[in-house]
Amino acid sequence: MLPIIDSLLIIFILTNLLLLGSGRLATYIQMIAVQGVLLGILTVFIQHGGFRLRFALLAIGSTAIKGILFPLLLARATRLVHIKRELEPVIGYTGSLIIGAFLLALSLWISSRLPIPTPGKIDDYVLPIAFFTIFTACFLMISRTKAITQVISYIVLENGIYLFGIPFAGEAPVLIELGLLLDLTVGIFVMGIILYHINREFSSVNVNELSSLKDSRL
Amino acid sequence: MIIALVLIPSILALTVLFLRSFRIGRATLIGTAIIHAALTIATWLLPLDTRILFGVLGLDELGRLFLTIVSLLFLVASFYGVGYLAHSSRAHASQRTENFFIVALLFFLSTMTLVTVCQHFELLWVAIEATTLASAPLIYFHRTKQSLEATWKYLMICSFGIAIALLGNFCFSISGAHSGHTSMIFGDLLAYAPFLQIQWLKAAFILLFVGYATKMGMAPLHTWLPDAHSEAPSLVSALLSGALLNCAFLGVLRAYQVAQAAGLARFLQPVFIGFGLVSMAFAAIFIIRQTDFKRMLAYSSVEHMGILLLSVGLGGAAVFGGMLHMIGHSLIKAMLFLVAGNILIAYRTKSTQAVAGLQEALPVSGALWFLGLFAITGLPPFGLFTSEFIILKTALDQNRPLVAILFLVFLAAIFMGMFSIGLKMLLGKSPEESKQPLRKEWLWSTGPPVFLAILILLLGPHIPRFLSFHLHKVAELIGGVG
């Protein structure tokens, strides 16, 4: 129950809201970086007992991958494809923010219904905010059309799952490390290879242009 | 031996990476498939090794059944693949892309084997994700815009699914933490299932179900499937449809087994039945008036995955039917995809309108296409008729007329859709001069599907006693009546 955890979590909520309400790719990438660093710090503070060295390594690993590596890769990808904004969101930014508020309420409700195995040891707001991050990511994935913003949404989803996992890292011996591994493999596969090829083949990275494969209208 | 099954394909894949020759690469492909098949046969002859490496790996009856399907289909596909690669190397593919293709295929085999021998939930998750990563380069083999698009969708949607499944795994371990059980080994989980915290377990199961069923092609999360299956080389489509979807199904079944041991079967059965029927409905809608024959087969896979979910949801005798259905579907669909590959090479189009007069142009493939259509739509005397009949009868016995009616309606719609398309391709008017097929058949392209056709015919009218004995055992594991 450290006040620092609460303030970090509030910053986390703000990053999600900014992701929902902004159209600039630079902002997206900054928010990814902020979330990555926050997760690294939270790893150290949220843990309850257990193996200290493991958490230190996790904190370093998650900061390095989520807070530094991904933002750098994303920044490089945006330079490569010359786009600055998400131009055609399916749902507008104001609308997205309103939906975000509903998602936050929903997350609070859901986590109030799930019993925590070791009550008192886990900060009350970690779970709701993890759920909020996951929901935000799902919403972004549906409502943003560029390939690169979908990759960003996917990273946000991973961040949410990681945040969800931190308090339970003691009970789930390797799961959280597996999450980081998934980050790395998918991140490198999707961003490194696919973005490069899509850019070369389509000369743009709009997922809407990936639409030659579909079924004829009924 | 189980470790060898997993590792041998990977090790040989690494050696292929450093090869400079077409011939040795292809020989390695076939050699690996034969070794793998031989080891798989050995698992039937020796007593089952259920706990190795502290119980992380192990082979139970359920896993062995899935392993056998994977191994058999890979053997057939590797023979077909040699002919396919010989053809495509003349056409366009360079030696580097070909060797890379073989490497990815072998890794794909390795990861699918790992899924079947996994007894640990976290490792299972890793293995299923690894199958996605290993198969993505296979889908992108042709290096076209369309295949790139298909690969992108495949990676994004399946990775989304796998992330959801990771969340499910978290919930799983939290549900155990309530009573101090932290082992994620399958056998342990089964043993202390009654002590798991029920709300978290429900959440865990739903998340695992959504995650793995995405990979299985469950509607409405199936959208990657028709694209990936239609753009991948045909032997890859055969493996995706016949082996990979089953592996994802195994992931769903493992979670179901634990939930069932915890007494959640009643809570889950409507989920299975509902999504099963929805998948069949989606498939029926998209099969009628389909203009691409590989997409038609892909949607048919969505349908059959729906039937598998339905059979598990019904429980009882239907589970036996479901297992029989799975074997039949894997064999028939793999054969149909291989035949579709022959048609595609000969006509250079996937359009159902442009292909006609198959029986004259490609006599063997035409005959197999005809046979396959009969078998896959569940007409007697083929295996799928028996299994669909068992499932229907169970639905009626359980007094679920709505399920039975919907099941029949969707089957009938799909039957009509596939037959009207398939027969036109087969009979139709002979193609005009300009549209004469560009390639004749040869043994490498017809042999493997003929082999599958023989198996399908053998399994058709009557199930061998040996098989039925084992399927009953497997069905008992997942809540069926023995």
Side-chain angles (χ1 to χ4, degrees):
Chain A
M1 279 328 134
L2 293 166
I4 186 167
I5 297 183
D6 287 335
S7 26
L8 290 176
L9 287 175
I10 288 168
I11 304 177
F12 214 95
I13 298 184
L14 290 177
T15 57
N16 283 339
L17 291 176
L18 266 169
L19 282 169
L20 286 168
S22 167
R24 287 179 63 240
L25 274 178
T27 316
Y28 286 167
I29 296 170
Q30 282 157 11
M31 289 309 111
I32 292 286
V34 173
Q35 287 196 347
V37 174
L38 281 177
L39 284 174
I41 304 173
L42 282 168
T43 315
V44 181
F45 282 105
I46 295 179
Q47 50 112 345
H48 52 101
F51 183 39
R52 288 296 173 105
L53 179 63
R54 175 173 170 228
F55 288 99
L57 289 179
L58 259 181
I60 294 169
S62 58
T63 315
I65 295 170
K66 292 171 183 289
I68 299 170
L69 178 66
F70 280 173
L72 286 180
L73 279 176
L74 285 169
R76 198 174 148 263
T78 44
R79 270 203 308 281
L80 212 67
V81 298
H82 310 293
I83 42 171
K84 289 209 170 73
R85 294 182 66 83
E86 164 73 40
L87 282 174
E88 315 105 66
V90 179
I91 296 168
Y93 302 117
T94 323
S96 303
L97 275 175
I98 295 169
I99 290 173
F102 277 111
L103 291 178
L104 186 55
L106 178 72
S107 324
L108 284 165
W109 180 75
I110 289 181
S111 40
S112 72
R113 293 181 53 93
L114 287 169
I116 294 170
T118 46
K121 282 195 182 167
I122 295 172
D123 190 281
D124 291 343
Y125 292 101
V126 177
L127 282 196
I129 290 161
F131 281 128
F132 177 49
T133 313
I134 293 166
F135 289 142
T136 303
C138 294
F139 174 74
L140 285 175
M141 218 174 250
I142 308 167
S143 64
R144 305 292 188 260
T145 53
K146 293 224 188 296
I148 195 156
T149 35
Q150 294 210 322
V151 173
I152 290 173
S153 321
Y154 189 77
I155 295 173
V156 177
L157 176 70
E158 288 288 342
N159 285 349
I161 293 174
Y162 183 86
L163 181 60
F164 180 88
I166 299 174
F168 305 110
E171 280 91 29
V174 286
L175 273 176
I176 198 160
E177 283 87 349
L178 288 181
L180 276 185
L181 200 66
L182 174 70
D183 265 2
L184 265 186
T185 45
V186 172
I188 287 166
F189 239 83
V190 172
M191 286 195 298
I193 302 165
I194 300 290
L195 272 181
Y196 171 70
H197 282 289
I198 290 181
N199 184 39
R200 208 183 49 183
E201 294 272 339
F202 290 82
S203 67
S204 97
V205 221
N206 200 330
V207 180
N208 278 344
E209 287 189 24
L210 293 176
S211 57
S212 60
L213 293 176
K214 59 182 162 203
D215 294 284
S216 52
R217 293 271 176 273
L218 294 168
Chain B
M1 186 166 64
I2 292 170
I3 300 174
L5 268 171
V6 177
L7 284 185
I8 285 175
S10 285
I11 293 168
L12 289 171
L14 288 177
T15 59
V16 173
L17 261 184
F18 300 102
L19 286 178
R20 290 267 166 277
S21 131
F22 277 125
R23 242 185 234 149
I24 304 176
R26 290 174 197 163
T28 318
L29 179 63
I30 287 193
T32 315
I34 291 172
I35 295 172
H36 195 271
L39 283 174
T40 305
I41 292 170
T43 62
W44 284 91
L45 302 175
L46 300 168
L48 279 174
D49 224 353
T50 47
R51 281 181 83 90
I52 51 172
L53 285 182
F54 315 105
V56 170
L57 296 183
L59 201 59
D60 58 356
E61 262 117 13
L62 187 63
R64 185 169 58 178
L65 175 66
F66 282 77
L67 173 67
T68 312
I69 296 176
V70 168
S71 190
L72 173 68
L73 289 191
F74 193 87
L75 182 65
V76 175
S78 70
F79 275 96
Y80 185 87
V82 169
Y84 184 87
L85 288 171
H87 167 72
S88 71
S89 67
R90 269 199 292 281
H92 52 86
S94 75
Q95 190 215 324
R96 247 187 80 216
T97 46
E98 177 180 324
N99 274 356
F100 187 64
F101 182 75
I102 292 175
V103 170
L105 259 182
L106 293 177
F107 273 123
F108 188 37
L109 175 65
S110 226
T111 53
M112 285 196 295
T113 310
L114 185 59
V115 173
T116 61
V117 300
C118 231
Q119 294 288 329
H120 188 280
F121 268 94
E122 286 154 12
L123 188 63
L124 179 68
W125 178 85
V126 173
I128 291 183
E129 169 64 7
T131 56
T132 311
L133 297 179
S135 52
L138 297 174
I139 297 172
Y140 188 41
F141 178 63
H142 288 309
R143 304 274 187 278
T144 58
K145 275 191 179 190
Q146 284 84 358
S147 65
L148 179 66
E149 180 185 339
T151 315
W152 166 259
K153 272 194 192 167
Y154 178 60
L155 274 175
M156 272 320 272
I157 296 174
C158 290
S159 300
F160 174 78
I162 217 77
I164 298 295
L166 178 66
L167 202 55
N169 270 325
F170 270 120
C171 294
F172 230 141
S173 57
I174 297 168
S175 78
H178 275 271
S179 49
H181 298 289
T182 50
S183 160
M184 290 289 272
I185 288 171
F186 181 64
D188 297 351
L189 273 169
L190 275 184
Y192 61 68
F195 306 108
L196 297 174
Q197 208 283 330
I198 209 82
Q199 264 133 323
W200 283 104
L201 187 60
K202 279 183 186 173
F205 183 82
I206 295 292
L207 292 168
L208 284 175
F209 178 77
V210 171
Y212 292 150
T214 302
K215 188 78 189 284
M216 191 184 157
M218 173 194 76
L221 291 163
H222 67 284
T223 45
W224 63 271
L225 193 147
D227 296 346
H229 284 60
S230 66
E231 292 311 315
S234 296
L235 77 140
V236 177
S237 317
L239 285 175
L240 288 177
S241 206
L244 177 70
L245 299 186
N246 288 347
C247 287
F249 182 48
L250 184 62
V252 174
L253 285 181
R254 291 287 187 212
Y256 180 68
Q257 277 180 283
V258 174
Q260 195 187 27
L264 277 182
R266 281 190 168 275
F267 164 74
L268 296 172
Q269 283 177 339
V271 179
F272 275 91
I273 295 176
F275 278 109
L277 287 173
V278 167
S279 301
M280 289 182 74
F282 265 87
I285 292 167
F286 285 102
I287 281 177
I288 298 170
R289 302 181 57 195
Q290 184 57 251
T291 53
D292 175 330
F293 55 85
K294 280 186 83 178
R295 288 183 84 85
M296 177 182 82
L297 295 180
Y299 276 112
S300 156
S301 292
V302 175
E303 174 216 349
H304 289 286
M305 289 302 124
I307 295 178
L308 293 186
L309 289 176
L310 179 67
S311 74
V312 175
L314 287 172
V319 182
F320 173 78
M323 290 299 110
L324 184 64
H325 196 88
M326 183 184 73
I327 299 174
H329 169 252
S330 292
L331 296 177
I332 300 167
K333 189 54 66 62
M335 183 197 84
L336 277 170
F337 267 119
L338 296 185
V339 173
N342 293 345
I343 301 173
L344 179 59
I345 288 175
Y347 287 80
R348 292 203 182 161
T349 173
K350 284 182 286 197
S351 158
T352 51
Q353 262 101 33
V355 178
L358 266 183
Q359 58 174 45
E360 289 167 32
L362 303 169
V364 181
S365 297
L368 291 175
W369 184 252
F370 189 59
L371 177 102
L373 280 180
F374 261 89
I376 202 76
T377 49
L379 290 183
F382 296 100
L384 293 194
F385 173 76
T386 323
S387 57
E388 283 169 6
F389 185 77
I390 296 173
I391 295 167
L392 181 68
K393 188 168 172 301
T394 316
L396 289 172
D397 286 347
Q398 292 181 349
N399 215 356
R400 297 184 201 252
L402 186 65
V403 174
I405 290 169
L406 286 175
F407 182 64
L408 274 184
V409 167
F410 296 144
L411 281 182
I414 289 164
F415 168 76
M416 288 189 291
M418 288 189 80
F419 253 80
S420 63
I421 295 167
L423 284 185
K424 209 176 65 207
M425 287 167 65
L426 187 71
L427 306 168
K429 264 187 201 152
S430 252
E432 299 146 33
E433 200 58 36
S434 61
K435 291 210 177 148
Q436 278 295 336
L438 297 157
R439 262 187 66 85
K440 290 272 168 247
E441 298 171 304
W442 55 327
L443 188 62
W444 287 105
S445 69
T446 54
V450 165
F451 174 69
L452 284 175
I454 293 168
L455 284 181
I456 294 162
L457 286 171
L458 281 178
L459 286 179
H462 139 104
I463 316 161
R465 186 174 298 164
F466 162 78
L467 184 66
S468 130
F469 171 72
H470 277 282
L471 286 184
H472 275 297
K473 267 200 195 163
V474 170
E476 269 173 46
L477 288 177
I478 34 181
V481 182

